[in-house]
Amino acid sequence: MSWLPTNDPILGDTQSCNALELIIVPRVRDLGGFEVRRALPHGRRQMVGPFIFFDHFGPVQFLAGQGMDVRPHPHIGLATVSYLFDGRILHRDSEGNIQEIVPGAMNLMTAGRGIAHSERTPEMERAGLHSMLGLQSWIALPEGQEEVDPSFQHFDAATLPVIEDAGVRARVIAGSAFGKTAPVKSLSEWFYVEVRLEAGASAPLDATYEERAVYVLDGEVEITGDRFEGPRLLIFRPGDRITIKAVRPSRMMFLGGTAMKGPRYLWWNFVSSSRERIEQAKEDWRTGRFAPVPEETEFIPLPE
């Protein structure tokens, strides 16, 4: 995904519990035909663990011949996670990786010193009416590893650990949760889990991670007596034992990890601990120093 900042909404949700540090109502942006809800970065919170960007796109329906077309654009200093619940996206990047992203699969693109990529609806998907629902997250890279070589990891849904018990279904996308560990390799300690709860079912949020949050996509959950409807990003204090109970069938993401050391600067699609490095990335994209994306002739110009 490619982005520019927008103003934060005025929060209207006054419900809270002692363990909650912040409730974020994701702000809505229109990306040329479908809405995106952006939870991070936020005016009161830049990151949760290494998560520095969190977009919820869809649900959206496309007519035949239509689809998502995110032209080639650059990244540095981060890793992107594309995760779908519905639809398909064709990923192409300047390292030569071409991957069709499907629901339930883990796709981690590490930009490091620099990568460009595009995200488009596959041609076969455009042949008829189709829909899309998913999440795009950016993971800030730790200092000392922001300039690693770019790479791409893909794991089919069938290769990711799944836990099913008493109205709970969870898929571990990254890190460890519910006694299971995902196969993805990461440069810092973080976790990302899809959790679905039937009405009345409960799931614990691991207290061992330094920073933790729950993104409620849809449904309604109860935490220590207070209720929260989706979409909401609920950020919790470190160390507290948290149990999330579904008031009605609910879908959410558990996420977080070790806090980043030092601040991160974020401009357009660039993340870095150095302002100078971001200025260099701007110049590199403006002057065409990023490697091209195969089979692409378009690109997103540097914002003025």
Side-chain angles (χ1 to χ4, degrees), residues 14-36:
T14 58
Q15 292 183 320
S16 65
C17 62
N18 290 334
L20 268 173
E21 187 174 303
L22 183 64
I23 303 167
I24 294 177
V25 180
R27 53 205 183 278
V28 177
R29 294 188 67 220
D30 187 332
L31 294 185
F34 67 98
E35 287 187 345
V36 168

Side-chain angles (χ1 to χ4, degrees), residues 197 214 216 218-223 226-230 234 244-248 250-252:
L197 299 180
V214 171
V216 182
D218 47 51
E220 183 179 9
V221 300
E222 181 178 298
I223 304 168
D226 288 323
R227 294 186 175 188
F228 306 92
E229 292 184 330
L234 311 175
I244 293 90
K245 180 180 179 181
V247 177
R248 59 178 190 264
S250 301
R251 174 167 45 188
M252 64 203 79

Side-chain angles (χ1 to χ4, degrees), residues 186-205:
S186 58
L187 298 176
S188 61
E189 186 179 2
W190 56 282
F191 75 108
Y192 199 27
V193 187
E194 177 192 355
V195 179
R196 299 189 190 216
L197 299 180
E198 296 177 7
S202 299
L205 180 62

Side-chain angles (χ1 to χ4, degrees), residues 14 24 27 37 57 69 107 139 143 153 159-160 165 170 234:
T14 58
I24 294 177
R27 53 205 183 278
R37 296 174 178 85
F57 53 92
D69 284 296
N107 302 276
I139 309 299
E143 283 190 81
Q153 298 180 65
T159 67
L160 299 175
D165 181 55
L234 311 175

Side-chain angles (χ1 to χ4, degrees), residues 16-302:
S16 65
C17 62
N18 290 334
L20 268 173
E21 187 174 303
L22 183 64
I23 303 167
I24 294 177
V25 180
R27 53 205 183 278
V28 177
R29 294 188 67 220
D30 187 332
L31 294 185
F34 67 98
E35 287 187 345
V36 168
R37 296 174 178 85
R38 182 156 298 148
L40 291 175
H42 184 268
R44 293 176 59 191
R45 185 70 178 248
Q46 185 187 45
M47 289 185 278
V48 177
F51 284 80
I52 196 168
F53 178 96
F54 195 95
D55 258 9
H56 168 187
F57 53 92
V60 60
Q61 280 204 333
F62 294 104
L63 298 176
Q66 298 181 345
M68 184 177 81
D69 284 296
V70 180
R71 294 168 292 162
H73 56 279
H75 292 287
I76 66 163
L78 57 85
T80 68
V81 181
S82 300
Y83 191 75
L84 292 178
F85 304 100
D86 189 18
R88 292 172 179 266
I89 296 173
L90 184 62
H91 163 97
R92 289 190 178 97
D93 66 47
S94 53
E95 292 295 296
N97 298 298
I98 301 176
Q99 178 66 54
E100 188 168 298
I101 297 170
V102 299
M106 165 54 153
N107 302 276
L108 181 70
M109 183 186 75
T110 301
R113 58 179 167 77
I115 197 170
H117 75 132
S118 64
E119 298 156 296
R120 299 183 185 271
T121 300
E123 287 303 318
M124 289 192 66
E125 189 83 350
R126 295 175 192 259
L129 185 70
H130 58 283
S131 55
M132 184 180 296
L133 173 63
L135 300 168
Q136 172 91 177
S137 305
W138 295 355
I139 309 299
L141 301 181
E143 283 190 81
Q145 299 189 76
E146 293 174 291
E147 298 295 318
V148 297
D149 290 340
S151 63
F152 184 82
Q153 298 180 65
H154 169 81
F155 295 91
D156 291 336
T159 67
L160 299 175
V162 172
I163 299 91
E164 293 186 272
D165 181 55
V168 178
R169 190 176 195 278
R171 174 178 284 116
V172 184
I173 305 162
S176 298
F178 301 101
K180 304 287 186 180
T181 300
V184 65
K185 296 178 181 178
S186 58
L187 298 176
S188 61
E189 186 179 2
W190 56 282
F191 75 108
Y192 199 27
V193 187
E194 177 192 355
V195 179
R196 299 189 190 216
L197 299 180
E198 296 177 7
S202 299
L205 180 62
D206 195 332
T208 60
Y209 288 98
E210 183 179 1
E211 296 187 350
R212 305 162 299 155
V214 171
Y215 185 74
V216 182
L217 279 94
D218 47 51
E220 183 179 9
V221 300
E222 181 178 298
I223 304 168
T224 64
D226 288 323
R227 294 186 175 188
F228 306 92
E229 292 184 330
R232 292 286 190 279
L233 180 65
L234 311 175
I235 303 176
F236 298 91
R237 292 191 323 224
D240 288 331
R241 294 182 179 275
I242 305 297
T243 298
I244 293 90
K245 180 180 179 181
V247 177
R248 59 178 190 264
S250 301
R251 174 167 45 188
M252 64 203 79
M253 306 299 289
F254 291 4
L255 62 119
T258 302
M260 289 282 99
K261 293 181 180 178
R264 289 297 183 276
Y265 301 104
L266 173 60
W267 188 88
W268 193 35
N269 305 313
F270 305 138
V271 172
S272 180
S273 57
S274 163
R275 290 185 186 274
E276 292 74 20
R277 181 65 183 91
I278 288 181
E279 292 303 315
Q280 182 61 57
K282 291 182 186 180
E283 185 63 18
D284 289 345
W285 185 247
R286 184 184 293 114
T287 57
R289 294 194 192 115
F290 277 80
V293 178
E295 303 180 44
E296 290 280 9
T297 57
E298 301 178 297
F299 67 93
I300 300 177
L302 191 77

